[in-house]
Amino acid sequence: ILASILSLIIYWLIRDSHRVRNLSGKHVFVTGCDTELGNSLAKWLDKRGFCVIAACDTEKGGQELRSCSSLSLKTVKLNLADSNSIARAVAFVTEETAGKGLFGLVSNAEGTAPVAPTDWLRIEDFHSVLDVSLLGLIEITLKLLPLLKKAEGRVVNLINAKGLMAVVGGGYSLSKWGMEAFSDTLRIEMQHFGVKVSIVEHGFFKAGVVNSDVIEKYLLRLWNRLTPEIRDSYGEKYF
């Protein structure tokens, strides 16, 4: 019993030594705040006392988030498929942090991905997800590294675990596996600067996870644009 109590005390001491304190004034930049996960995370961090900079895809998303948060939460419009938009967001973050550096970068990027056999797809279908969920994530991370190094901050990449199961063609799983590899490499390299890199593999959420009507509509569009040769090779029964 005494050994168990002692082990518990040691565990609590170790756990508490890793707890982040003095949250006020620490800036955290979160992408994808139009969605349930990014939106909820931005609100939670705001309530905890962080200086949150929330990136939204739309102006409407930013307005709705600001309306239910504290005055310290700032929003910026961001399109991860557009280098100019990324540059503007980085400039905004640089100005907001005012020489303090960036305590945290949380990437929650989800590009649109058609669900279909690989040879139903064109290269632009891969770009539609990879440009956002992988290349866009890499670009904004690279441009924010100087601020993260200055604050000895951390990078947290949120990855939907369903993307790690490659059961369908397209760029979705490619982007998630690429995020894993990028994060693992970056973690090793950034140790020298005191910057931590983490991956959070999350599962399904209740809101907006799977919309069968959208998937079916996408499939129909892809099927109708196939050449007769490819369509005949699969057949109506397969479709």
Side-chain angles (χ1 to χ4, degrees):
I1 292 172
L2 287 173
S4 298
I5 294 172
L6 184 61
S7 299
L8 218 61
I9 292 172
I10 293 172
Y11 165 75
W12 281 331
L13 289 173
I14 294 173
R15 184 195 62 177
D16 288 347
S17 70
H18 287 83
R19 191 182 299 275
V20 178
R21 305 187 189 280
N22 301 320
L23 308 182
S24 179
K26 287 182 168 64
H27 288 82
V28 180
F29 181 53
V30 186
T31 69
C33 291
D34 290 273
T35 62
E36 282 294 317
L37 181 56
N39 188 276
S40 298
L41 179 60
K43 293 174 183 175
W44 185 83
L45 290 170
D46 179 52
K47 289 178 181 178
R48 296 279 292 177
F50 286 101
C51 296
V52 179
I53 305 171
C56 299
D57 298 331
T58 63
E59 185 59 41
K60 180 183 177 183
Q63 290 175 352
E64 290 177 350
L65 184 56
R66 288 194 302 271
S67 68
C68 55
S69 304
S70 74
L71 294 176
S72 66
L73 183 142
K74 308 294 183 182
T75 61
V76 60
K77 190 175 179 182
L78 174 63
N79 176 8
L80 283 171
D82 182 0
S83 292
N84 292 326
S85 178
I86 290 174
R88 287 191 294 269
V90 170
F92 183 83
V93 174
T94 303
E95 183 179 351
E96 286 294 319
T97 54
K100 297 178 182 178
L102 185 61
F103 180 77
L105 166 62
V106 183
S107 291
N108 173 44
E110 286 285 298
T112 57
V115 177
T118 299
D119 64 348
W120 291 21
L121 304 173
R122 299 172 182 171
I123 193 63
E124 54 264 30
D125 296 317
F126 287 86
H127 275 294
S128 69
V129 61
L130 292 176
D131 287 351
V132 174
S133 296
L134 182 57
L135 298 178
L137 174 144
I138 292 173
E139 183 175 355
I140 199 163
T141 302
L142 293 177
K143 290 184 175 179
L144 288 172
L145 279 180
L147 295 178
L148 289 160
K149 287 158 71 175
K150 185 165 189 168
E152 293 190 355
R154 64 264 298 124
V155 177
V156 181
N157 289 328
L158 306 182
I159 299 177
N160 197 320
K162 73 175 183 283
L164 300 176
M165 299 177 286
V167 295
V168 68
Y172 193 76
S173 290
L174 292 177
S175 70
K176 301 311 172 190
W177 288 21
M179 286 171 67
E180 293 262 347
F182 175 69
S183 302
D184 289 343
T185 305
L186 191 67
R187 182 183 305 114
I188 297 168
E189 297 166 347
M190 287 295 108
Q191 283 180 351
H192 176 72
F193 301 99
V195 175
K196 299 177 181 178
V197 180
S198 302
I199 300 169
V200 176
E201 297 173 353
H202 61 83
F204 287 96
F205 289 84
K206 287 194 295 183
V209 176
V210 178
N211 188 328
S212 58
D213 291 336
V214 172
I215 294 174
E216 187 174 337
K217 185 178 179 181
Y218 223 136
L219 267 175
L220 182 61
R221 184 179 70 80
L222 294 174
W223 174 258
N224 288 333
R225 81 175 188 189
L226 291 177
T227 63
E229 291 79 12
I230 295 179
R231 197 182 300 132
D232 291 343
S233 71
Y234 282 90
E236 290 285 344
K237 184 177 180 181
Y238 182 95
F239 176 66

